[in-house]
Amino acid sequence: MFGKVNMPPTTPYAGKFSSCAPYGNNNNNIHPQPHGPYCNGGAPKPAKDGAYDGAYSPAENPYDVPQPHGAYRSSSVSSAAAREHHYSSSCAVSENPYSSPQPHSPRQHSTSCPGRAYRHTTAATTSAAAAASSSGSGGSSEQSSRNNSVAAKSRRYGHGVTASYGEMCYHDNSLVSASLEALIQHLVPTVDYYPDRSYVFTFLLSSRLFLHPYELMTKVCHLCVEQQRSGDALLDKIRFREVAPKLVQLLTEWTETFPYDFRDERMMRCLKDMTQHVARGDEYSWRAMQQMTQRLIKRLSALGQYEEAVSALNAVAMERPASLKSKQASGQRSDVMSVCDDPFVLAQQLTHIELDRLSFIGPEEFIQTFARKDPLENHKGFFRKRKTSNLEAYVNWFNRLSYLVATEICMPVKKKHRARIIEFFIDVAQECFNIGNFNSLMAIITGMNMSPVARLRKTWSKVNTDKFEILEHQMDPSSNFSNYRTALRGATQRSETAHSSQEKIVIPFFSLLIKDIYFLNEGCASSLTNGHINFEKLWELAKQVSEFLVWRQVICPFDRDRRILQYLVTTPVFSEDELHLASYESEGPENHMEKDSRRSLRSSLLHRENRS
């Protein structure tokens, strides 16, 4: 049994929530790297082999089979033990989420050590001079493209030290700005250098603001090969053999963390070319490249199957409910409580759906929502699929859940049945809060606040709204959602010190997360007046996205219920007009405006039915 933990002390309702009773009886990096912006001290963990073995079949219900992390989702917890969870946090409320440094900010860990850049800026090192001498034009090109062989300059600003190493500027040993060319060169591994994982993740994530991933990969691979050229074929082969494992490591991190980049056939072609080049110099690295490519293809195949399955489910869900003119017979239609009458079990199944769909969102989709339009957008090939399709699908799921809640409330003929459904969803929302599923919580609140539901005054008069008001307070948008952000920090702290799988669950209110990232991008310039890229902004973007990746990797500990999941994702829901008309059928219009609205809606919907 898990001990019960109070809610954040900064909220006025600490400890008021308790679990609800059922309503009835039908229930591999090469070198150790410094700490980065991630909760576990490293970059987002790549998917393990076999993680996609349980991929969707297009004809199957995706909730009947393991999801991308299904290989690890085998444990379960008892409902009684899992119920007793609330958040504990001592964090103060901050209206601006970016106002103070975060504990896992990549800038606070010197993730791009100036010393690494400095080794390319001076000829004082004997080995560097010898390498430049022996490599001819190729070696001198490497040195000049790193930092133009310029000695480091340091200046003091306030309490910190700002240093420039060629075209890369640091403040207190943290990279703050650089030219695009210098950043690309800094990504390229050499015999004695490999970029730390925080830098790799940050630059691969946000570089798409400035150039297409295909262009970046082409430049990186070209530089990695060219800087080994010395004019001596045998020496070139030896040098490339030494750097090949590091190149493979870089490409592995790319394919594991940003696999959707490789839906572009040009990226796959470049990867194939590098595999052939590696094969000529190092058999071990060539085999590693082959294994990496196989994992990538497997993951992209799983993604394609998932997208097809979601599309098929959406097609089923688009079927219209029974005609409203036969509303009296709607009692024969299954409602949510006939499928599941336990709020906690329904909250568990909602959490399954949330984590399943979150797991397919690529981190780059957050950046591509506001990245400049790709001039090669119309290039023929697999990459023509929308670059943010999984992110959009997740937002659509939020909307569907909101409309499902409203539909379930408006459908019953009798007032007492509608009141019972409202109370049930309040309890489901409460359980979602306790689990850490803020996205489903907000979707339920949104559905219950839709005007067709809110106007049912006679129904609401039969409902005890105390718990609902507490939940609304937690998700109150005032002060930039300060109450929600406090609860989210509490859930995050609980996740970091979790002793069980359930305690690790953190599912953020997704639309607000997108909004935060959007305004972070809009509020900070990407380029500085000197032409440098503002890398401080890139650190902050990476910090926001990497936190999401940690949440996305959580294993859902609850048992799946196929019947409930099928109902949640395929049951048809009313459109907005149909909801309004159903609301008027439940409780008649109260004024002339509502009477005119009902008359207009009836005419409009009847016309649509006749046309279809």
Side-chain angles (χ1 to χ4, degrees), residues 118 120-122 147-153 164-167:
Y118 183 68
H120 296 285
T121 65
T122 176
N147 282 297
N148 301 324
S149 299
V150 179
K153 302 175 183 178
S164 296
Y165 299 87
E167 295 184 349

Side-chain angles (χ1 to χ4, degrees), residues 173-315:
N173 289 340
S174 291
L175 178 62
V176 294
S177 71
S179 66
L180 180 60
E181 292 74 17
L183 292 174
I184 294 173
Q185 185 67 60
H186 200 57
L187 186 66
V188 179
T190 64
V191 174
D192 60 345
Y193 165 77
Y194 185 82
D196 66 77
R197 297 187 70 194
S198 292
Y199 178 81
V200 172
F201 174 75
T202 300
F203 190 57
L204 290 182
L205 174 70
S206 296
S207 60
R208 62 200 73 235
L209 291 171
F210 312 100
L211 75 169
H212 191 277
Y214 166 72
E215 297 175 302
L216 176 61
M217 186 173 181
T218 301
K219 290 177 181 290
V220 168
C221 292
H222 175 76
L223 287 171
C224 191
V225 172
E226 289 300 315
Q227 68 188 12
Q228 310 306 323
R229 297 192 186 278
S230 63
D232 185 321
L234 180 59
L235 180 59
D236 289 352
K237 186 175 182 179
I238 294 174
R239 293 180 58 170
F240 186 78
R241 183 181 300 166
E242 292 176 344
V243 79
K246 295 182 179 180
L247 175 61
V248 173
Q249 172 67 16
L250 177 64
L251 294 177
T252 298
E253 291 191 37
W254 196 333
T255 57
E256 296 284 4
T257 310
F258 303 96
Y260 301 168
D261 284 349
F262 293 83
R263 300 186 85 174
D264 185 347
E265 62 185 23
R266 298 167 296 176
M267 293 283 285
M268 292 300 290
R269 250 195 330 263
C270 187
L271 191 63
K272 182 179 178 180
D273 292 343
M274 284 309 303
T275 301
Q276 293 174 348
H277 192 88
V278 168
R280 294 194 292 266
D282 182 27
E283 182 178 357
Y284 176 82
S285 297
W286 170 70
R287 290 182 178 178
M289 287 280 287
Q290 284 188 315
Q291 294 172 357
M292 174 192 69
T293 304
Q294 290 172 358
R295 291 194 302 269
L296 173 62
I297 293 173
K298 195 173 183 179
R299 193 167 184 183
L300 293 179
S301 176
L303 171 64
Q305 292 173 1
Y306 162 78
E307 291 177 341
E308 290 177 3
V310 169
S311 178
L313 288 171
N314 291 339

Side-chain angles (χ1 to χ4, degrees), residues 5 30 39 71 106 113 123 260 336 348 413 496 535 544 585:
V5 183
I30 292 179
C39 294
C113 178
Y260 301 168
V336 66
Q348 287 179 332
V413 176
E496 292 171 355
F535 212 80
Q544 292 270 349
E585 294 291 333

Side-chain angles (χ1 to χ4, degrees), residues 414-427:
K414 295 183 178 181
K415 178 171 55 179
K416 65 177 182 180
H417 291 165
R418 293 194 297 273
R420 190 164 173 248
I421 292 288
I422 290 176
E423 290 177 342
F424 175 74
F425 274 117
I426 291 174
D427 290 338

Side-chain angles (χ1 to χ4, degrees), residues 437-475:
N437 182 355
F438 296 104
N439 201 58
S440 290
L441 165 63
M442 192 62 180
I444 293 171
I445 292 176
T446 300
M448 297 178 74
N449 279 320
M450 292 177 70
S451 57
V453 177
R455 67 169 296 278
L456 301 175
R457 298 179 184 177
K458 296 177 181 178
T459 302
W460 280 98
S461 68
K462 302 293 183 181
V463 177
N464 184 341
T465 59
D466 289 347
K467 288 188 290 186
F468 185 61
E469 291 170 359
I470 295 174
L471 292 169
E472 284 190 307
H473 176 81
Q474 289 297 328
M475 305 304 289

